[in-house]
Amino acid sequence: MAFAQYLLPALALASTAFAQCSNSGTLTIASAADASQLASCTTYSGSVAIETGLAYPKDNNGRQQVQVTTVRTITGNLTVTDAISLSSLSFGSLRSIGGFELGGLTVLSELSMPELTEVSQLNFTALPALQTLDFGGRGLTKAESVLITNTGLSSLTGINNLQQVDTFNINNNQALQNISLQVTSITNALRIEANDGYQSGLTTSFPLLETATNMTFRNCSSISLPALKNVTENLGLYGNTFETFFAPNLTSAGGLIFVDNTELTNISLPQLTAINATYQIANNTQLKEVDGFTKLSVVKGALDFSGNFSDVQLPALTQVQGAFNLQTSAKFDCSAFDKLSSSKVIRGKYTCLGMRTRPGGQGTGSGSDGGGDEKSSADHMFVNLPAIVGGTLVLAGLLQTIL
């Protein structure tokens, strides 16, 4: 009986603690009292949301601070959106979260989670006052997806030690000037776009990245991919300002696209052998020679080049399954590609044109574009000389009869 006397209160206390540390719905924190519900939990099974209209006291500047200690794991999501007076958010012991969403926090300038190493989804949007991330010395090492857009971040210190990520999307962060990530693979998509105030000063480095599914780079001043071997879908580079693109170990890509890279003078992919979709080079105004694809053998989609280049070298090409379109404003010798077309190495519609006033992409016609074109085999007029001679003799006979 004495044992039961102590056991029953202990069980009741444990049951209360379990109830406080578990919620099939979402625990909403609107005040310090609400936050205290997490004080007894090392693991909270459920989701946590911080209320838009916080009842926390404000400092002299009308700002609010939320600090939560003890809890190490939140199995569900941590969501903080539109709390417009929140300037500081701290979870001092938190190591793992299901999903982590911050959005519309216009004065949030301090984010402290020094123990955090793992999230499922990280989604940061509209955080203009947030300049740094305090995720401790190690920082995040694992995430399924990362989206950071429209923040004041000047660096990604705190997430640059990621070793695993499926989707990584960094866009429209006006102060961001450098991205360096240690991942070895990206299984879904990598998108780096419109950072650094559209000044194209952003430098990017992925020194260990070997495989990726889909990669898009815009407005970057440098891109370093020294270990990249394979991109299963598209590798697209648009509107960047680097002069050279060099991927020394890339052997295959789904699609390969270079468009509007105004300073680009050299592309070097010395190990590339296969492109499994579209191969496009367009409107790279400083690119005069395309000669860095010495092992490229197979293009399974269309090959579509337009610009002002005067030389294109594809010495190992054995197969283009789709259309072949090459148009340039420079004087260009199409004879090498004429031979590839006639020998059926190029299997789709074939167009090769030099001296174009407005060189166009695939689907633009081979007729005059208003300038003086130098016609290639796509424009050659094949003449049936015997038919002409025979027609002339018939016509002469008719005239003789009439006369």
Side-chain angles (χ1 to χ4, degrees), residues 102-139:
L102 301 179
L105 307 175
T106 55
V107 299
L108 182 71
S109 59
E110 182 180 357
L111 177 64
S112 179
M113 297 186 174
E115 300 294 324
L116 188 65
T117 60
E118 182 176 341
V119 300
S120 293
Q121 295 87 31
L122 185 148
N123 189 334
F124 289 179
T125 62
L127 309 173
L130 187 65
Q131 298 181 9
T132 60
L133 302 172
D134 180 5
F135 290 159
R138 188 180 181 192

Side-chain angles (χ1 to χ4, degrees), residues 40 66 127 133 148-149 174 211 215 251 256 287 292 326 388 398:
S40 61
V66 172
L127 309 173
L133 302 172
I148 298 177
T149 179
Q174 306 300 296
T211 62
M215 305 175 73
T251 60
L256 183 61
L287 187 64
L326 190 157
I388 291 176
L398 287 174

Side-chain angles (χ1 to χ4, degrees), residues 18 30 33 35 67 86 150 162 180 191 196 210 215 218-219 254 266 272 311 332 346 368 373-374 379 381 394 398:
F18 177 78
Q67 182 174 357
L86 182 65
N150 193 19
L162 273 174
S180 180
R191 301 184 70 90
D196 188 41
E210 295 185 358
M215 305 175 73
R218 296 181 191 266
N219 310 106
N266 181 57
L272 184 68
D311 186 34
F332 192 85
I346 298 170
S368 173
D373 298 345
E374 179 180 281
D379 290 325
M381 182 182 296
V394 170
L398 287 174

